[in-house]
Amino acid sequence: MNQLKAVLVNAPAWVRDPLEGLAAPRLLARCTTLTQDGLGPAESAVVHTLGRLARRVRYLDAEIKDVPGQMTGLIQQTVPALLRVQGIGPDSAAALLIAAGDNPDRVRGEASFAALCGAGPVEASSGKTSRRRLNRGGNRQANAALHRAVLSRLRRDPATQEYLKRRTAEDLSKREIIRCLKRYLAPTVYTILHTGFTLSAATCRP
């Protein structure tokens, strides 16, 4: 779309003016219907480029829309229970599956999986305070997946909302509360992944 609009900015006024201000779907539709009849070489090249870029955008858009369905199907074949966890959709489930699958030797238990996802607490106590902070390491895509799940649960899950109120009353910041929730969610995900991978391995045996 950026390429198409860049070409459009430098297009002749008779091409550019009717297309200015159009929403993306209408702009693409109009660009694909432009004709080159009676045009000179330069104008013909502009019209041809606009049509080609519009068709490319439509093709890639259709391809992108096809991916979630395929990805959801693959997840349902592998670990369907992961999609039933509140707050975890296909994108987050895929990120967690990839993190676990790429590091099977590191995932030896719940704590290992939490550390792999960057959800394990890091000691940050000093002489006067006793506290833990967010872990900046681990697989950042998996960490983001847990983060999205926690934010979703904070919006929709009454138990999580109640936990937020209780921990806020204990003078914890929202960032610290989210860290705790991610750490609590990690074992649930680990159990589902571990069970799913074990079952998958069993069904693949001769």
Coordinates of all heavy atoms in Angstrom, one line a residue, residues 110 113-114 117-121 134-137 140 142-151 153 160 163 174-189:
E110 N 7.9 -26.9 35.1 CA 7.2 -25.7 35.1 C 8.1 -24.5 35.3 O 8.0 -23.5 34.6 CB 6.2 -25.7 36.2 CG 5.1 -26.7 36.1 CD 4.1 -26.7 37.3 OE1 4.4 -26.0 38.2 OE2 3.1 -27.5 37.2
F113 N 10.1 -23.9 32.0 CA 9.2 -23.3 31.0 C 9.0 -21.8 31.3 O 9.0 -20.9 30.4 CB 7.9 -24.0 30.9 CG 7.0 -23.4 29.8 CD1 7.3 -23.7 28.5 CD2 5.9 -22.7 30.2 CE1 6.5 -23.1 27.5 CE2 5.1 -22.2 29.2 CZ 5.4 -22.4 27.8
A114 N 8.8 -21.4 32.6 CA 8.6 -20.0 32.9 C 9.8 -19.2 32.6 O 9.7 -18.1 32.1 CB 8.2 -19.9 34.4
C117 N 10.2 -18.6 28.9 CA 9.2 -17.6 28.5 C 9.5 -16.2 29.1 O 8.8 -15.2 28.9 CB 7.8 -17.9 28.8 SG 7.2 -19.4 27.9
G118 N 10.6 -16.1 29.9 CA 10.9 -14.8 30.5 C 9.9 -14.4 31.6 O 9.7 -13.3 31.9
A119 N 9.2 -15.4 32.1 CA 8.2 -15.2 33.1 C 8.6 -15.5 34.5 O 7.9 -15.3 35.5 CB 6.9 -15.9 32.8
G120 N 9.8 -16.0 34.7 CA 10.4 -16.3 36.0 C 10.8 -15.1 36.7 O 11.4 -14.2 36.1
P121 N 10.6 -14.9 38.0 CA 11.0 -13.7 38.7 C 12.5 -13.6 38.9 O 13.2 -14.7 38.9 CB 10.3 -13.9 40.1 CG 10.2 -15.4 40.2 CD 9.9 -15.9 38.9
L134 N 10.7 -8.0 36.8 CA 10.4 -8.7 35.5 C 11.7 -9.3 35.0 O 12.8 -8.7 35.1 CB 9.8 -7.7 34.5 CG 8.4 -7.2 34.8 CD1 8.1 -6.0 33.9 CD2 7.4 -8.3 34.7
N135 N 11.6 -10.4 34.3 CA 12.7 -11.0 33.7 C 12.8 -10.5 32.2 O 11.8 -10.6 31.5 CB 12.5 -12.5 33.6 CG 13.7 -13.3 33.2 OD1 14.6 -12.7 32.5 ND2 13.8 -14.6 33.5
R136 N 13.9 -9.9 31.9 CA 14.1 -9.3 30.5 C 14.6 -10.4 29.5 O 14.8 -10.1 28.4 CB 15.0 -8.2 30.6 CG 14.7 -7.1 31.6 CD 13.4 -6.4 31.2 NE 13.0 -5.4 32.2 CZ 11.9 -4.7 32.2 NH1 10.9 -5.0 31.3 NH2 11.6 -3.8 33.1
G137 N 14.9 -11.6 30.0 CA 15.4 -12.6 29.1 C 14.3 -13.5 28.6 O 13.2 -13.2 28.6
R140 N 11.1 -13.9 23.8 CA 10.2 -12.7 23.9 C 8.9 -12.8 23.2 O 7.9 -12.2 23.6 CB 10.9 -11.4 23.3 CG 12.3 -11.1 23.9 CD 12.3 -11.3 25.4 NE 11.5 -10.3 26.1 CZ 11.1 -10.4 27.4 NH1 11.6 -11.4 28.1 NH2 10.4 -9.5 27.9
A142 N 7.2 -15.7 23.2 CA 6.4 -16.5 24.2 C 6.0 -15.6 25.4 O 4.9 -15.7 25.9 CB 7.2 -17.7 24.7
N143 N 6.9 -14.7 25.8 CA 6.6 -13.8 26.9 C 5.5 -12.8 26.5 O 4.6 -12.6 27.3 CB 7.9 -12.9 27.2 CG 7.7 -12.0 28.4 OD1 7.1 -11.0 28.3 ND2 8.1 -12.5 29.6
A144 N 5.5 -12.4 25.2 CA 4.4 -11.5 24.8 C 3.1 -12.2 24.7 O 2.0 -11.6 25.0 CB 4.8 -10.9 23.4
A145 N 3.1 -13.5 24.4 CA 1.9 -14.3 24.3 C 1.3 -14.4 25.7 O 0.1 -14.3 25.9 CB 2.2 -15.7 23.8
L146 N 2.1 -14.7 26.7 CA 1.6 -14.7 28.1 C 1.1 -13.4 28.5 O 0.1 -13.3 29.2 CB 2.7 -15.2 29.1 CG 3.2 -16.6 28.9 CD1 4.4 -16.9 29.9 CD2 2.1 -17.6 29.2
H147 N 1.8 -12.3 28.1 CA 1.4 -11.0 28.5 C 0.0 -10.6 27.9 O -0.8 -10.1 28.6 CB 2.4 -10.0 28.0 CG 2.3 -8.6 28.5 ND1 2.7 -8.2 29.7 CD2 1.6 -7.5 28.0 CE1 2.4 -6.9 29.9 NE2 1.8 -6.5 28.9
R148 N -0.2 -11.0 26.6 CA -1.5 -10.8 26.0 C -2.6 -11.6 26.7 O -3.7 -11.1 26.9 CB -1.5 -11.1 24.5 CG -0.7 -10.2 23.7 CD -0.9 -10.5 22.2 NE -0.5 -11.8 21.8 CZ 0.7 -12.1 21.3 NH1 1.6 -11.2 21.2 NH2 1.0 -13.4 21.0
A149 N -2.3 -12.8 27.1 CA -3.3 -13.6 27.8 C -3.6 -13.0 29.1 O -4.8 -13.0 29.5 CB -2.7 -15.0 28.0
V150 N -2.7 -12.5 29.8 CA -2.9 -11.9 31.2 C -3.8 -10.7 31.0 O -4.7 -10.4 31.8 CB -1.6 -11.6 31.9 CG1 -1.8 -10.7 33.1 CG2 -1.0 -12.9 32.4
L151 N -3.5 -9.8 30.0 CA -4.2 -8.6 29.8 C -5.7 -8.9 29.5 O -6.6 -8.3 29.9 CB -3.6 -7.8 28.7 CG -2.2 -7.1 29.0 CD1 -1.8 -6.3 27.9 CD2 -2.3 -6.3 30.3
R153 N -7.3 -11.7 30.4 CA -7.9 -12.2 31.6 C -8.3 -11.0 32.6 O -9.3 -11.1 33.3 CB -7.0 -13.2 32.3 CG -6.9 -14.5 31.4 CD -5.6 -15.3 31.8 NE -5.8 -16.1 32.9 CZ -6.0 -17.4 32.9 NH1 -6.2 -18.0 31.8 NH2 -6.1 -18.1 34.0
T160 N -9.4 -13.1 38.1 CA -8.1 -12.4 37.8 C -8.3 -10.9 38.3 O -7.4 -10.3 38.8 CB -7.7 -12.4 36.3 OG1 -7.6 -13.8 35.9 CG2 -6.4 -11.7 36.1
Y163 N -8.0 -10.8 41.9 CA -6.6 -10.9 42.3 C -5.9 -9.6 42.2 O -5.1 -9.2 43.0 CB -5.9 -12.0 41.4 CG -4.4 -12.1 41.7 CD1 -4.0 -13.0 42.7 CD2 -3.5 -11.4 40.9 CE1 -2.6 -13.1 42.9 CE2 -2.1 -11.5 41.2 CZ -1.7 -12.4 42.2 OH -0.3 -12.5 42.4
K174 N 1.0 -2.4 39.2 CA 0.3 -3.2 38.2 C 1.3 -4.0 37.4 O 1.1 -5.2 37.1 CB -0.5 -2.3 37.3 CG -1.4 -3.2 36.3 CD -2.4 -2.3 35.6 CE -3.3 -3.1 34.7 NZ -4.2 -2.3 33.9
R175 N 2.5 -3.5 37.2 CA 3.6 -4.2 36.5 C 4.0 -5.5 37.3 O 4.1 -6.6 36.7 CB 4.8 -3.3 36.2 CG 5.9 -4.0 35.6 CD 7.1 -3.1 35.3 NE 6.8 -2.2 34.2 CZ 7.7 -1.4 33.7 NH1 8.9 -1.3 34.1 NH2 7.3 -0.6 32.6
E176 N 4.1 -5.3 38.6 CA 4.5 -6.5 39.4 C 3.4 -7.5 39.5 O 3.6 -8.7 39.4 CB 4.8 -6.0 40.8 CG 6.1 -5.2 40.9 CD 6.3 -4.7 42.3 OE1 5.4 -4.1 42.9 OE2 7.5 -4.8 42.8
I177 N 2.1 -7.0 39.5 CA 1.0 -8.0 39.5 C 0.9 -8.7 38.2 O 0.7 -10.0 38.2 CB -0.3 -7.2 39.7 CG1 -0.3 -6.6 41.1 CG2 -1.6 -8.1 39.5 CD1 -1.4 -5.6 41.4
I178 N 1.1 -8.1 37.1 CA 1.1 -8.8 35.8 C 2.3 -9.8 35.7 O 2.1 -10.9 35.2 CB 1.3 -7.7 34.6 CG1 0.0 -6.9 34.5 CG2 1.6 -8.4 33.3 CD1 0.0 -5.8 33.5
R179 N 3.4 -9.5 36.3 CA 4.5 -10.4 36.4 C 4.1 -11.7 37.1 O 4.4 -12.8 36.7 CB 5.8 -9.8 37.0 CG 6.9 -10.8 37.2 CD 8.0 -10.3 38.1 NE 7.5 -10.1 39.5 CZ 7.3 -11.1 40.4 NH1 7.4 -12.3 40.0 NH2 6.9 -10.8 41.6
C180 N 3.4 -11.5 38.2 CA 2.9 -12.6 39.0 C 1.9 -13.4 38.2 O 2.0 -14.7 38.3 CB 2.3 -12.1 40.3 SG 3.5 -11.4 41.5
L181 N 1.0 -12.8 37.6 CA 0.0 -13.5 36.8 C 0.6 -14.3 35.6 O 0.2 -15.4 35.4 CB -1.0 -12.5 36.2 CG -2.0 -11.9 37.3 CD1 -2.8 -10.7 36.7 CD2 -2.9 -12.9 37.8
K182 N 1.6 -13.7 35.0 CA 2.3 -14.5 34.0 C 3.0 -15.7 34.5 O 3.0 -16.8 33.9 CB 3.3 -13.6 33.3 CG 2.7 -12.5 32.3 CD 3.6 -11.4 32.0 CE 4.8 -11.7 31.2 NZ 5.5 -10.5 30.8
R183 N 3.6 -15.6 35.7 CA 4.2 -16.7 36.4 C 3.2 -17.8 36.7 O 3.5 -19.0 36.7 CB 5.0 -16.2 37.6 CG 5.8 -17.3 38.3 CD 6.8 -18.0 37.4 NE 7.5 -19.1 38.1 CZ 7.1 -20.3 38.1 NH1 6.0 -20.6 37.4 NH2 7.8 -21.3 38.7
Y184 N 2.0 -17.4 37.2 CA 1.0 -18.3 37.5 C 0.4 -19.0 36.3 O 0.0 -20.2 36.3 CB -0.1 -17.6 38.3 CG 0.3 -17.1 39.7 CD1 -0.4 -16.0 40.2 CD2 1.2 -17.8 40.4 CE1 0.0 -15.5 41.5 CE2 1.6 -17.3 41.6 CZ 1.0 -16.2 42.2 OH 1.4 -15.7 43.4
L185 N 0.4 -18.3 35.2 CA -0.2 -18.8 33.9 C 0.8 -19.8 33.3 O 0.3 -20.8 32.7 CB -0.6 -17.7 33.0 CG -1.2 -18.1 31.6 CD1 -2.5 -18.9 31.8 CD2 -1.4 -16.9 30.8
A186 N 2.1 -19.6 33.4 CA 3.1 -20.4 32.8 C 2.9 -21.9 33.1 O 3.0 -22.8 32.2 CB 4.5 -19.9 33.1
P187 N 2.7 -22.3 34.4 CA 2.6 -23.7 34.7 C 1.3 -24.4 34.0 O 1.4 -25.5 33.6 CB 2.4 -23.8 36.2 CG 3.0 -22.5 36.7 CD 2.8 -21.5 35.6
T188 N 0.3 -23.6 33.9 CA -0.9 -24.1 33.2 C -0.6 -24.4 31.7 O -0.9 -25.5 31.2 CB -2.1 -23.1 33.2 OG1 -2.4 -22.8 34.6 CG2 -3.3 -23.6 32.5
V189 N 0.1 -23.5 31.1 CA 0.5 -23.7 29.7 C 1.5 -24.9 29.6 O 1.4 -25.7 28.7 CB 1.1 -22.4 29.1 CG1 1.7 -22.7 27.7 CG2 0.1 -21.3 29.1

